[in-house]
Amino acid sequence: MPTPALIDLSHEQLTLRLGVGTDSTGATLSLPEDQWGASSPRFAVYLGSQVLHPHSPDVKVESVDTTSLDGTRTTHIRYVYSADNLEIVQHIVVYDGTALFETWHTVRNQGLVPVQLTRLDSLVLDLPPAAYELLSYTSNWGAEWEAVRAPLGNGTLLETKRGRSSKDHHPWFALFHPDGPIMSASVAWSGNWVFRFEQNDDRGVRLSGGLHDWEWSSTLAPGATVDSVPVVVALGADGDMNTVSTEYARVGRAHWYPRTPLGDQLPVEWNHWWSYEDHQIDEHVFRANVDVAARLGIEVCTLDAGWFGPSEPGAFWNDYRGDWAYVNTARFPSGLRALGDYVHERGMAFGLWCEIEALGQHARLADQHPEFVATRGGERLGYVCFGNPAVEAWALDTLSSLIDSYGLDWIKLDFNLDPAAGCDRTDHGHAAGDGLYAHYQGYYRALEHLRARCPNVILENCSSGGLRIDLGILRRTVPTFLSDPDWPEHGLQLIWGASTMLAPNAWLHWGWSEWINQHPRQTFNPRDPQLQPHQLDYYVRIGMLGAFGLSQKLPELPPWVAERYAAHIALYKTTLRRFVREADFFRLTDQPGRDGGGDRWSAFQYVLPDAAEHLVAVFRLPGGEAHRTLRLYHIEAERIYDVVWLLTDRAEQWRGADLLAQGLRCDDLAEQGSMLLLLR
């Protein structure tokens, strides 16, 4: 059918033009000038060594259609490749009012014989020659969001091959053009992914990425389809990463993050784990903490790992994951329903930990359903394969049963292993080459069905802390846990990094926990006679910058510490969480380092949509200079601002013109000091 040679998806914030014929440009991305690429393939489908893209011979456009819904415009461009009877549909979603879009494609075998695909690149862009700089993040347990910024080199590769999206690298980057514009991209996928930056002859750099092709292939039977994974692209014109971060956050809140009534409230959570772990938690201890939590104003009490497993001495619950009907009755003789009722009677919500994907080495589930077990080369991988539809159904029924049986309002969904290339069994409904892909597609569906069945339950994402954080899982679970450790500098580094991709209401990280095990930096002791009020404020407030949680032995808090916690919890509920839910978030300083490096001041600003109210959080880290001047965003010269130092008696009035000219000077904070400023 006749189609235009150029599809224009531009609006006032975004220039995006796509060529659909072999004689037209492939893609033009610009803000506002043409900076990022023309004649780009846009996507690629690999059949072994053969590469198909919009400019390939015998690839023709059949149709183009665009639909608009709820602030989005979705365009579907249908191509056909006659040689192998393949249909390729590229999907492009543009979010109105933002400089952000996402793209992926669907491949359908319309022929009579199977076709093997070996690589699917959701994004392919040819970037013109320039002295680019690349910002990315490495990641490991307790070392998430470690920024690396360096000149872009030939052959640069960002990837994970561990089977979890944030193991080794976070699925995100920002590319800085020397003239100022920024392009950022993120793979919205929880498994293996890749971004490649390869020399493109003398024409600059070819960027390609999406689903990782390592150990991946898909054999398409006649009539079958396969989707590539979405890649999100965000652009900024002014060289300021805060501009790009705002694009991610606004679209996340409006279109991606799932919502529940309790989640919209952004409740304050207590979790027992670091203070008691599994071997010190029981029914009596949990109830004692619930009593104090209610007095402090906490709104959710979560029972982490420790409830689950056989009651026999010496049995290790980790070995029985999968048999989720087990409750350790030696620790919880009244059962979990009674515990949930106890929490509810005190006006709070009840949360529970579960690692639904995992399979312990002694779990009876493996004997009862050997077809559930994920294996590779005949060896068990430690999880159940959601590529098997029966596992998807079992997980949905199991989680629904936990919710109904125990009256759950919150489930912490953990995953503590690296699947690598994933399952290669061929009796699950997937092929040997796409087991991990099928697992995550099945897991996503199970989460979506669970949300439909239990729409009021918060589903928290966790994976050894922060090792599976991506815009795919964030469309099914919110909040996401940023990291297991939570000492102050570590927490500030995480928040700086995570905020480049996530809105504050999408992340959860606790204030400095009291750990019962050994860790060189998890040394917080609320009973330390040397602990000063300004230090406690500093520790607590770091956890208040997003969704607010804590893990403490609440009944053992000294009275003054408990009183200070209660004051901060009340402040969060009355003032801060409105900003966390709704405001744009700006980093005012560089990233601090968890090990004493980086910026030794850390400051963040929240700006509500009408820019009439601002919240500024400032922290002076150990080693920070005595004074720091901060430049704030969206201050209006003609306004007079009432400025309140929260939880103090100090209040002043400032002229916007003076604040713009002089900045916000911070000169009265001790090391490990903090302040929260409200500007109206």
Side-chain angles (χ1 to χ4, degrees):
M1 60 177 292
T3 58
L6 196 68
I7 301 172
D8 192 343
L9 302 179
S10 307
H11 57 72
E12 67 278 5
Q13 297 293 325
L14 174 69
T15 300
L16 176 58
R17 298 185 178 94
L18 310 174
V20 297
T22 56
D23 297 328
S24 62
T25 59
T28 299
L29 308 176
S30 61
L31 263 182
E33 303 289 335
D34 180 14
Q35 300 281 358
W36 295 114
S39 301
S40 297
R42 300 201 312 270
F43 68 84
V45 176
Y46 284 70
L47 312 175
S49 60
Q50 186 179 12
V51 186
L52 305 180
H53 54 72
H55 304 317
S56 299
D58 300 324
V59 174
K60 305 297 182 184
V61 177
E62 285 286 311
S63 63
V64 178
D65 67 84
T66 298
T67 57
S68 297
L69 180 67
D70 296 332
T72 66
R73 282 184 296 147
T74 303
T75 297
H76 310 279
I77 309 173
R78 181 174 178 266
Y79 299 89
V80 293
Y81 176 59
S82 56
D84 280 311
N85 290 306
L86 289 181
E87 175 191 80
I88 306 170
V89 181
Q90 184 184 19
H91 314 279
I92 304 141
V93 182
V94 171
Y95 295 91
D96 293 345
T98 74
L100 182 148
F101 69 94
E102 65 179 304
T103 182
W104 73 99
H105 55 277
T106 301
V107 183
R108 179 187 300 275
N109 182 0
Q110 300 189 116
L112 300 177
V113 297
V115 175
Q116 187 174 51
L117 310 179
T118 55
R119 176 170 151 182
L120 296 176
D121 290 343
S122 300
L123 181 69
V124 181
L125 288 177
D126 290 337
L127 308 178
Y132 300 105
E133 278 195 329
L134 180 68
L135 172 65
S136 62
Y137 297 102
T138 61
S139 176
N140 211 327
W141 186 89
E144 298 92 344
W145 301 103
E146 186 76 33
V148 179
R149 182 165 177 169
L152 181 65
N154 181 29
T156 297
L157 191 71
L158 305 177
E159 64 177 351
T160 182
K161 297 193 288 188
R162 303 297 193 100
R164 291 191 286 176
S165 57
S166 299
K167 186 67 178 287
D168 293 337
H169 288 98
H170 285 283
W172 179 97
F173 74 82
L175 197 63
F176 295 81
H177 193 284
D179 293 339
I182 304 171
M183 178 172 66
S184 175
S186 181
V187 184
W189 180 244
S190 301
N192 295 328
W193 58 270
V194 63
F195 282 121
R196 311 173 195 86
F197 298 86
E198 300 167 304
Q199 191 66 37
N200 190 22
D201 299 325
D202 60 350
R203 299 193 300 275
V205 176
R206 172 161 288 186
L207 162 64
S208 63
L211 182 70
H212 209 309
D213 57 317
W214 173 73
E215 297 288 347
W216 181 86
S217 64
S218 178
T219 302
L220 277 186
T225 64
V226 64
D227 289 328
S228 71
V229 300
V231 172
V232 174
V233 178
L235 303 173
D238 55 7
D240 187 346
M241 262 306 303
N242 284 309
T243 302
V244 175
S245 303
T246 298
E247 301 290 270
Y248 280 108
R250 288 179 176 177
V251 174
R253 284 170 170 156
H255 299 283
W256 295 337
Y257 308 154
R259 301 184 61 178
T260 63
L262 182 61
D264 288 349
Q265 178 185 330
L266 210 62
V268 180
E269 184 218 17
W270 171 80
N271 183 299
H272 88 259
W273 180 250
W274 289 123
S275 299
Y276 300 102
E277 291 200 4
D278 53 342
H279 49 284
Q280 289 190 13
I281 193 66
D282 59 27
E283 181 177 302
H284 172 76
V285 169
F286 194 82
R287 286 175 181 247
N289 277 272
V290 167
D291 291 339
V292 180
R295 294 198 295 270
L296 294 181
I298 289 168
E299 296 162 305
V300 179
C301 292
T302 299
L303 182 60
D304 210 295
W307 66 270
F308 165 78
S311 304
E312 293 79 15
F316 184 32
W317 59 267
N318 194 69
D319 294 335
Y320 296 87
R321 290 167 301 160
D323 297 345
W324 297 106
Y326 268 135
V327 175
N328 190 315
T329 55
R331 293 179 183 160
F332 299 95
S334 301
L336 297 192
R337 182 68 193 211
L339 207 61
D341 291 344
Y342 192 82
V343 174
H344 290 147
E345 288 165 4
R346 279 143 189 82
M348 294 177 291
F350 182 42
L352 192 71
W353 169 94
C354 181
E355 194 174 356
I356 191 66
E357 296 164 86
L359 184 66
Q361 61 178 335
H362 298 320
R364 294 174 298 180
L365 182 68
D367 297 325
Q368 296 166 348
H369 293 284
E371 72 278 10
F372 285 12
V373 181
T375 66
R376 191 166 191 88
E379 298 295 323
R380 285 174 54 165
L381 295 176
Y383 70 97
V384 292
C385 179
F386 276 70
N388 183 345
V391 170
E392 186 181 328
W394 163 84
L396 176 61
D397 289 344
T398 299
L399 291 171
S400 300
S401 178
L402 292 177
I403 291 168
D404 294 340
S405 299
Y406 304 142
L408 302 183
D409 308 289
W410 178 308
I411 295 185
K412 185 183 186 77
L413 293 166
D414 210 344
F415 190 49
N416 292 297
L417 58 93
D418 293 329
C423 180
D424 66 357
R425 290 178 62 166
T426 57
D427 59 347
H428 281 174
H430 63 76
D434 61 357
L436 186 69
Y437 173 91
H439 173 80
Y440 279 117
Q441 294 286 14
Y443 185 53
Y444 286 172
R445 285 191 299 269
L447 293 175
E448 291 161 2
H449 292 150
L450 180 64
R451 184 163 299 285
R453 185 179 291 184
C454 307
N456 296 323
V457 177
I458 289 178
L459 305 180
E460 176 195 343
N461 175 54
C462 181
S463 185
S464 304
L467 297 186
R468 193 167 65 180
I469 299 175
D470 58 83
L471 298 178
I473 200 74
L474 263 292
R475 300 180 196 213
R476 285 93 181 172
T477 58
V478 163
T480 191
F481 203 61
L482 291 187
S483 180
D484 280 345
D486 48 40
W487 77 92
E489 291 90 341
H490 175 63
L492 289 169
Q493 177 170 348
L494 296 172
I495 288 164
W496 197 99
S499 66
T500 56
M501 180 175 129
L502 305 175
N505 57 302
W507 75 67
L508 171 65
H509 194 241
W510 301 332
W512 202 2
S513 299
E514 180 182 7
W515 281 30
I516 63 169
N517 63 6
Q518 296 298 310
H519 185 284
R521 297 184 183 274
Q522 294 291 155
T523 57
F524 177 60
N525 176 10
R527 296 167 297 281
D528 184 350
Q530 303 302 314
L531 178 64
Q532 299 297 309
H534 76 271
Q535 294 174 309
L536 181 65
D537 292 351
Y538 172 87
Y539 305 152
V540 175
R541 289 169 176 173
I542 293 170
M544 298 166 67
L545 296 174
F548 182 22
L550 61 152
S551 183
Q552 301 286 345
K553 294 182 178 180
L554 300 181
E556 299 181 24
L557 294 176
W560 79 267
V561 174
E563 182 181 348
R564 199 66 180 166
Y565 268 120
H568 278 91
I569 290 168
L571 177 67
Y572 184 81
K573 292 160 68 173
T574 59
T575 305
L576 267 69
R577 67 179 170 192
R578 181 166 62 101
F579 288 90
V580 173
R581 282 194 301 252
E582 302 172 18
D584 291 334
F585 184 86
F586 299 90
R587 295 168 299 280
L588 305 180
T589 51
D590 291 334
Q591 188 179 32
R594 58 176 55 88
D595 295 320
D599 201 330
R600 306 315 291 164
W601 282 75
S602 189
F604 308 99
Q605 180 185 0
Y606 302 77
V607 181
L608 287 175
D610 60 2
E613 292 186 82
H614 307 249
L615 178 73
V616 181
V618 184
F619 303 87
R620 183 184 173 196
L621 286 70
E625 67 271 25
H627 311 289
R628 178 65 69 91
T629 298
L630 304 171
R631 299 294 174 181
L632 302 184
Y633 285 76
H634 300 294
I635 298 297
E636 298 182 24
E638 68 278 8
R639 285 191 173 182
I640 301 295
Y641 291 90
D642 292 322
V643 184
V644 178
W645 280 252
L646 298 175
L647 291 186
T648 75
D649 296 328
R650 183 179 175 185
E652 298 177 2
Q653 280 195 337
W654 291 349
R655 294 175 64 244
D658 293 339
L659 193 53
L660 287 172
Q662 301 167 14
L664 170 61
R665 181 172 171 81
C666 306
D667 55 11
D668 56 357
L669 288 185
E671 290 189 357
Q672 293 192 317
S674 62
M675 64 180 182
L676 299 173
L677 291 181
L678 181 64
L679 285 73
R680 287 177 173 163

